[in-house]
Amino acid sequence: MRSDVKHFICEIENGIATVRLDRPDRKNPLTFDSYAEMRDWFRDLVYADDVDVVVFGSNGGNFSSGGDVHDIIGPLTRMNMKELLRFTRMTGDLVKAIVNCGKPVVAAVDGICVGAGAIIAMASDLRVATPEAKTAFLFTRVGLAGCDMGACAILPRVIGQTRAAELLYTGRSMSAEEGERWGFFNRLVSSDALDAEALALAQQIQAGPNFAHMMTKTMLAQEWSMSIEQAIEAEAQAQAICMQTGDFERAYKAFVAKERPVFEGD
């Protein structure tokens, strides 16, 4: 998987990719270029054998301030409908790429996490944050609807319908304590421990059966639109596939030998 990206930071080591937005002086806003490059990077991740887990980290004490006011918001006011729709579809494609990348994504959230930054955290599989994290889906603050980049579909599934409605209607900040209590954040840790905690969580996931993790992520996404009957059948097929993997056999042999299984992802 390529790490020579231009519009964000990407480091790959021992099967874990750490990505961060790279404008800490402005609280890491997104630009047209970073949106597009991140979308393409996550799309390519589906085919990457050298990455098992992704950590989406903070930078300079903040996660992301969302779309850049000068580089994105200003130009949007001068676009026609066709151009605007091309942009909104591109931003939505980033969320689709994160959801469908086949790899667990851990968001490590510090400081400001608003707008599209909050969406990226929402689209991740797991979220670790600091007590200083402030998360806001502030689209109504700029005269837009709260239904941006899948927020009205995904956020209620994470924190519940009425809580999501409050955040999306008011655009107010959700404190870190609220976020943990509501289930948006898996846990809170100090700023000094954030990177280490996110990496440890990623390593814990990576130590498991990574092919099966891909199946789990796929089912978590696909079953949103399935009936219970369809979901049970889909999981039966997914699990039957996993039962043909080497990791399943390794786990059995390790259990018989009273040893801890060492998974290889095949």
Side-chain angles (χ1 to χ4, degrees):
M1 186 67 188
R2 63 191 179 94
S3 59
D4 57 336
V5 295
K6 296 180 179 179
H7 302 289
F8 61 98
I9 298 171
C10 176
E11 300 170 330
I12 300 174
E13 185 175 356
N14 298 325
I16 296 175
T18 301
V19 299
R20 310 173 195 271
L21 291 166
D22 192 23
R23 301 177 72 189
D25 57 317
R26 297 178 64 181
K27 301 178 182 178
N28 306 312
L30 287 140
T31 65
F32 292 117
D33 289 332
S34 59
Y35 263 124
E37 189 172 37
M38 287 176 56
R39 172 203 61 195
D40 294 343
W41 188 86
F42 274 99
R43 281 177 172 172
D44 292 344
L45 198 58
V46 175
Y47 308 103
D49 292 330
D50 59 334
V51 174
D52 301 314
V53 186
V54 177
V55 175
F56 202 119
S58 297
N59 189 3
N62 293 290
F63 190 73
S64 174
S65 57
D68 189 280
V69 173
H70 301 292
D71 293 348
I72 289 184
I73 307 300
L76 289 178
T77 64
R78 300 185 291 273
M79 290 184 184
N80 60 37
M81 180 57 69
K82 183 178 180 180
E83 294 169 328
L84 290 170
L85 188 56
R86 182 184 299 119
F87 169 73
T88 54
R89 283 174 172 164
M90 177 183 72
T91 62
D93 282 344
L94 171 57
V95 173
K96 293 178 189 177
I98 294 172
V99 170
N100 295 313
C101 71
K103 316 296 166 103
V105 179
V106 179
V109 180
D110 193 14
I112 297 300
C113 175
V114 301
I119 295 290
I120 291 172
M122 176 196 74
S124 300
D125 297 281
L126 301 165
R127 290 162 290 275
V128 181
T130 70
E132 293 74 35
K134 295 180 177 62
T135 307
F137 300 83
L138 42 63
F139 308 109
T140 57
R141 299 287 185 91
V142 295
L144 297 176
C147 55
D148 197 71
M149 300 171 69
C152 284
I154 301 174
L155 190 60
R157 290 179 166 90
V158 177
I159 64 173
Q161 182 81 6
T162 56
R163 290 168 174 168
E166 179 185 346
L167 296 182
L168 297 177
Y169 279 127
T170 66
R172 75 166 179 84
S173 290
M174 175 177 61
S175 70
E177 291 75 14
E178 278 183 312
E180 183 185 34
R181 189 170 70 248
W182 289 1
F184 188 82
F185 294 124
N186 294 83
R187 67 198 64 158
L188 300 182
V189 298
S190 68
S191 297
D192 292 342
L194 179 62
D195 288 345
E197 183 73 14
L199 179 60
L201 182 55
Q203 290 171 334
Q204 180 183 359
I205 295 169
Q206 184 190 34
N210 288 306
F211 179 87
H213 287 338
M214 178 273 293
M215 282 294 196
T216 299
K217 177 154 184 161
T218 300
M219 290 297 99
L220 282 169
Q222 291 185 357
E223 289 181 35
W224 287 358
S225 58
M226 292 181 184
S227 68
I228 295 297
E229 290 78 8
Q230 290 170 327
I232 291 173
E233 174 59 22
E235 291 191 4
Q237 295 179 24
Q239 205 69 302
I241 292 171
C242 289
M243 288 173 181
Q244 290 187 311
T245 63
D247 277 345
F248 181 62
E249 185 175 353
R250 290 182 193 102
Y252 167 71
K253 290 180 177 179
F255 178 81
V256 171
K258 298 182 179 181
E259 298 174 348
R260 184 168 183 161
V262 177
F263 296 115
E264 298 180 19
D266 63 351

